[in-house]
Amino acid sequence: QLARAPAQCRHARVERTNAKRRTHSGCKRAIRAHAAASPLPIIILPGLGNNAADYDRLKDALRARSEGGESAVVTVADVKRYDWLRNAAGLTDVNYWRGTLCPRPTVDWYLNYIDDAVEQSLLASGADEVVLLAHSAGGWLGRVWMHASHENATRVRKFCSLGSPHRPPPTDGDSLVIDQTRGILTWVEREMPGAHHDDVEYVTVAGTYLEGLAPSVEKVTGGTSELAQVMAGVGYMQVCGKADVPGDGITPVETAHLPGERVKRVTVEGGTTLRLARTGSRESGMATSPT
């Protein structure tokens, strides 16, 4: 009997643990059902080189879109423009030069801003979950933040990216293609591919504002329109390895979308996600808020 006691105790502990998980899951479903009547707080994650003030118009536009007479709490991660210089810390890591850089600790400064924005939003709204609305580099940075801890992921109901470069550039030895993240996107795709978190709804938004063109003397001298396409194509080349593809002028469509059945992919024909992210304007080609 004494020999069997430890096994019985372990069995009892397992039953209690499973009961707690069932209770937690049931409570979470009940909370979500109750919260459905109120808009979820939205956190805007700025893109590379941008600061929080760049998204004031988008923030106001989202607040104006009330649900049931109630406006959402909208918070922009308090990134300053000079903060992006902190990424230079990665230069001291040998993996930067090898092209195998991991996101942390280089981008911890950005993740700390997300921490603060989430805490602020949950406190102001009384909600338990948020929507992450990420622009450009804020997309993969938001995914890194969700991956940083189990608690972070459980606090996100929806993840929506606007023109974010989610996929790493090809590594086929083409000297013209340089991974601007120095390996971070490769790490992200390996560690958290596609819709990595089961309880998070993923939406990726891309635009086809500008078709890229491969550079040539004829096209460069062919007029303003073709020059703009060539410039876009040079940028697309660095992101996906191809110049003659559609994109929003910065991020090609194929890179802006995450793979997988659980991802809702929205491609705005003729739209630019940059203008949408900055203004929330219908002139961007997006008729309604992606959130």
Side-chain angles (χ1 to χ4, degrees):
Q1 289 177 340
L2 289 174
R4 286 197 300 269
Q8 291 170 346
C9 290
R10 285 195 298 271
H11 179 71
R13 284 197 298 270
V14 170
E15 285 299 315
R16 285 196 298 272
T17 300
N18 290 338
K20 286 180 180 178
R21 287 175 177 170
R22 287 193 295 269
T23 301
H24 173 74
S25 180
C27 288
K28 191 165 185 179
R29 284 194 297 269
I31 290 170
R32 284 190 169 186
H34 174 74
S38 301
L40 288 169
I42 301 169
I43 297 173
I44 299 172
L45 305 183
L48 180 65
N50 293 294
N51 66 3
D54 291 334
Y55 301 87
D56 282 347
R57 292 176 64 187
L58 174 61
K59 179 173 65 175
D60 292 342
L62 290 171
R63 283 176 174 171
R65 295 178 60 82
S66 61
E67 297 179 20
E70 186 177 355
S71 297
V73 172
V74 183
T75 306
V76 185
D78 195 22
V79 176
K80 286 80 172 175
R81 214 174 302 281
Y82 59 77
D83 280 322
W84 294 100
L85 295 175
R86 299 188 188 192
N87 288 342
L91 294 169
T92 63
D93 190 329
V94 66
N95 289 299
Y96 176 93
W97 304 102
R98 292 173 177 167
T100 57
L101 188 66
C102 296
R104 307 190 68 184
T106 300
V107 300
D108 278 359
W109 64 270
Y110 193 104
L111 307 188
N112 292 335
Y113 278 127
I114 302 179
D115 282 335
D116 294 342
V118 169
E119 292 294 340
Q120 179 183 340
S121 296
L122 295 180
L123 183 63
S125 65
D128 293 306
E129 296 173 307
V130 301
V131 173
L132 293 184
L133 180 56
H135 173 227
S136 190
W140 60 261
L141 283 162
R143 292 167 64 202
V144 170
W145 180 83
M146 286 192 289
H147 185 71
S149 76
H150 175 71
E151 181 184 11
N152 287 355
T154 60
R155 288 182 164 189
V156 178
R157 171 86 66 86
K158 298 179 182 179
F159 170 86
C160 178
S161 64
L162 305 175
S164 296
H166 287 299
R167 313 296 297 277
T171 55
D172 56 4
D174 190 338
S175 61
L176 295 178
V177 179
I178 301 174
D179 180 2
Q180 297 174 57
T181 69
R182 305 308 299 141
I184 290 180
L185 279 178
T186 299
W187 183 93
V188 170
E189 183 161 89
R190 182 178 68 247
E191 297 295 324
M192 57 198 90
H196 183 67
H197 300 283
D198 292 338
D199 291 331
V200 177
E201 299 174 35
Y202 286 80
V203 181
T204 54
V205 182
T208 62
Y209 174 69
L210 200 58
E211 182 91 17
L213 286 176
S216 69
V217 175
E218 293 78 11
K219 291 172 183 175
V220 170
T221 59
T224 304
S225 176
E226 284 199 339
L227 179 59
Q229 289 182 275
V230 168
M231 292 176 65
V234 170
Y236 296 164
M237 173 73 75
Q238 300 306 311
V239 180
C240 72
K242 293 177 285 186
D244 51 347
V245 293
D248 60 12
I250 298 175
T251 305
V253 172
E254 62 186 75
T255 304
H257 287 317
L258 284 170
E261 295 180 357
R262 290 186 51 248
V263 180
K264 181 177 181 180
R265 289 175 281 274
V266 179
T267 299
V268 187
E269 297 300 329
T272 165
T273 54
L274 175 61
R275 187 178 300 167
L276 172 64
R278 289 291 190 88
T279 68
S281 170
R282 294 187 178 190
E283 293 176 1
S284 64
M286 176 65 71
T288 58
S289 165
T291 59

